[in-house]
Amino acid sequence: VDGWGKVTTPAGTFDALRGLFIVFGGWSQDLGGTFAKTDYDTLLAYDVATNTWRVLPSSTPGPSARFQYALEYDPVGNQLLLFGGFRFTSSGPGDPYIRGDLWRYDMKTAAWQRLEPAGPRPSPRFYHVGMWDRTGGRLVIQGGYGEGALGDAWAYDSAGNRWTPLGPGPHS
């Protein structure tokens, strides 16, 4: 993919079934004088077997450009889950720099869907840790930065479309 070497701080996940390392977004900076920053909103896959990068298609609009988010692959649901992140650019009020939205990418239909779980949810954040809990079948996030350092942990259950607080983390 052209220009890939210039993009920094995307997060990634691995789809072992297909042998794909998948990343979303990232950012780059013009170091030639203007120092302008550019955020990206592309979903890319590195195929381990063929040693090639490709853009994963999208049949629907997806998340806004960002970096420092959590992106995890759910092998049972055959989906990606993306939460939070940060972006350098904003279109104004209602378009925050620190993101707190949750998105699903269906690997079969190539469709993005913004999820709106009912009930409590984690605060917007970036630089947080994410992982897929294979035993519990859920996305788990912890820590990061929002309106200051965060130490809480949350689990998202995609079958029930709900977040559950797991309590304070080790740095709360």
Side-chain angles (χ1 to χ4, degrees):
V1 176
D2 290 339
W4 173 242
K6 300 175 187 172
V7 176
T8 187
T9 61
T13 190
F14 189 69
D15 173 355
L17 178 67
R18 294 175 186 84
L20 299 176
F21 175 64
I22 302 168
V23 297
F24 177 83
W27 70 279
S28 67
Q29 184 171 13
D30 171 20
L31 299 177
T34 66
F35 298 99
K37 294 178 176 75
T38 303
D39 298 321
Y40 295 98
D41 63 357
T42 307
L43 188 62
L44 300 168
Y46 173 74
D47 188 314
V48 175
T50 63
N51 191 32
T52 57
W53 283 97
R54 71 176 191 264
V55 174
L56 292 180
S58 179
S59 60
T60 58
S64 61
R66 66 190 68 202
F67 58 97
Q68 300 302 345
Y69 49 81
L71 176 69
E72 297 301 327
Y73 175 66
D74 166 8
V76 175
N78 195 26
Q79 64 185 346
L80 299 171
L81 293 170
L82 182 148
F83 175 76
F86 185 89
R87 61 186 290 176
F88 284 117
T89 58
S90 174
S91 62
D95 185 24
Y97 294 101
I98 302 172
R99 314 303 290 187
D101 48 350
L102 176 65
W103 290 82
R104 173 186 184 271
Y105 179 81
D106 186 308
M107 295 291 287
K108 185 176 180 181
T109 64
W112 282 105
Q113 175 187 11
R114 184 174 176 158
L115 302 172
E116 297 289 348
R121 60 182 72 189
S123 61
R125 64 190 64 210
F126 64 103
Y127 273 127
H128 50 292
V129 176
M131 62 142 238
W132 182 254
D133 172 7
R134 290 175 23 173
T135 303
R138 60 194 185 159
L139 168 68
V140 178
I141 63 161
Q142 194 275 324
Y145 292 91
E147 298 298 324
L150 300 167
D152 56 344
W154 290 79
Y156 174 73
D157 171 27
S158 59
N161 191 31
R162 70 179 173 272
W163 284 102
T164 302
L166 300 178
H171 302 292
S172 293

